[in-house]
Amino acid sequence: MVTWLDRGDLRLGLVPELGGRLLSVRYRGAELLWRNAELLDDDLRGEYAPNSGRMGDWVNYGGDKTWPAPQGWAGPDQWPGPPDPVLDSGPYTAVVDGDTVTMTSAPDPRTGLRFTRAITILDDGYELRLTAENTSARPVRWALWNVTQFPGGGSITAGLRRPDVVALVAGTGTPEYTVDDDRLVVPTQDVVGKLGVPGTAGWVTYGPLTLNFDVDPAGEYPDEGSPLEIWLEHPLPEPLAALGDLDPPARIVELEVLGPLTTLEPGAETRLLIRAEVREDGV
């Protein structure tokens, strides 16, 4: 079932059954997010089913979703997804209260977490209030990791408080970028790879959408201390064996916002707030 939120020129489309995703952000009728048109129609209807396996088995519907970090395959303190049948693609419950939809996952036995994604539509954008609760009987240590996918073809601009940028993944290469004083610019390019931004100032812009988020100067962040990560991909002639047979379906830009790594005792929570602002003039 699709839930729509409308306010002024903005329309949000959410699918709780599909990992609590925000799958559509439409501004004056124009879609801002990327979604897989082979899997979902314009009304966000399609077949939703939990998905597991290797990275090459992931069914990428697109949109905005929340994962646990760090990602990895070396042990129980790393999340070996996507895919993931609970937090990424499992059904979430939903409660609608005026301009807010609150979507909650089932408890995930592997990570010990239950996610809550509360999304509120605003006059000039929307707000994401994310919570990870430890529902297990053991202490766990994770960070919230929010991933928003956009259609490729544009440049990315991010604010910097210091000029720290690191190469995290080089599937076909490391994304090219420039640092100009207090701004990072990642131009349009065909590459499969990821940058981490330990020096982020807490905002990143792609097209008319800017994501704003807090950075804890004393916090410990995954991936070489990166509260912001930027992933680029494009279609390839064959899957990438080095990345679990990842097979990119399109030119995609991902803006990824992370909270600090937090040790959670049973019943404890960690939170992450992201405010998305839509402006016609972009940066």
Side-chain angles (χ1 to χ4, degrees), residues 72-104:
W73 294 263
D77 294 333
Q78 297 179 335
W79 182 67
D84 171 277
V86 180
L87 300 176
D88 172 63
S89 58
Y92 283 43
T93 62
V95 176
V96 181
D97 182 9
D99 290 332
T100 300
V101 179
T102 302
M103 300 177 288
T104 304

Side-chain angles (χ1 to χ4, degrees), residues 68-219:
Q71 182 185 43
W73 294 263
D77 294 333
Q78 297 179 335
W79 182 67
D84 171 277
V86 180
L87 300 176
D88 172 63
S89 58
Y92 283 43
T93 62
V95 176
V96 181
D97 182 9
D99 290 332
T100 300
V101 179
T102 302
M103 300 177 288
T104 304
S105 76
D108 175 37
R110 188 190 183 285
T111 61
L113 299 177
R114 176 168 57 204
F115 280 170
T116 299
R117 288 170 45 87
I119 300 177
T120 301
I121 192 167
L122 307 171
D123 289 335
D124 60 350
Y126 57 92
E127 186 177 80
L128 287 161
R129 296 187 306 281
L130 311 175
T131 304
E133 176 192 2
N134 181 7
T135 58
S136 75
R138 67 187 190 278
V140 298
R141 183 171 173 79
W142 297 102
L144 282 160
W145 173 20
N146 201 71
V147 177
T148 311
Q149 292 187 322
F150 300 86
S155 64
I156 303 151
T157 303
L160 295 174
R161 55 189 172 86
R162 62 175 195 268
D164 291 359
V165 182
V166 295
L168 294 177
V169 179
T172 63
T174 300
E176 297 179 358
Y177 66 91
T178 59
V179 172
D180 181 10
D181 194 19
D182 61 351
R183 292 194 175 189
L184 164 71
V185 177
V186 182
T188 303
Q189 56 195 289
D190 277 351
V191 66
V192 179
K194 178 183 279 194
L195 299 173
V197 192
T200 177
W203 66 265
V204 59
T205 293
Y206 186 77
L209 192 65
T210 297
L211 302 180
N212 300 280
F213 51 95
D214 291 332
V215 178
D216 181 358

Side-chain angles (χ1 to χ4, degrees), residues 228-280:
L228 171 66
E229 299 177 8
I230 296 167
W231 166 268
L232 303 179
E233 66 178 58
H234 68 103
L236 299 170
E238 58 186 28
L240 279 169
L243 295 181
D245 289 330
L246 176 71
D247 191 9
R251 284 179 172 82
I252 297 172
V253 166
E254 286 184 1
L255 303 183
E256 307 177 2
V257 176
L258 293 91
L261 281 161
T262 305
T263 299
L264 300 173
E265 297 296 328
E269 298 178 343
T270 184
R271 298 175 181 270
L272 177 62
L273 175 66
I274 302 171
R275 191 179 186 281
E277 182 182 5
V278 180
R279 296 190 304 176
E280 289 187 68

Side-chain angles (χ1 to χ4, degrees), residues 21-80:
R21 273 171 171 72
L22 169 63
L23 273 168
S24 180
V25 176
R26 297 178 188 173
Y27 179 67
R28 296 183 176 174
E31 180 62 63
L32 303 186
L33 302 187
W34 179 83
R35 71 172 181 279
N36 196 328
E38 295 184 0
L39 302 174
L40 300 166
D41 64 18
D42 287 345
D43 295 322
L44 311 185
R45 293 175 301 193
E47 294 186 7
Y48 316 137
N51 175 230
S52 60
R54 288 165 52 85
M55 188 175 287
D57 300 316
W58 182 42
V59 180
N60 185 358
Y61 290 90
D64 178 289
K65 54 275 187 182
T66 303
W67 295 335
Q71 182 185 43
W73 294 263
D77 294 333
Q78 297 179 335
W79 182 67

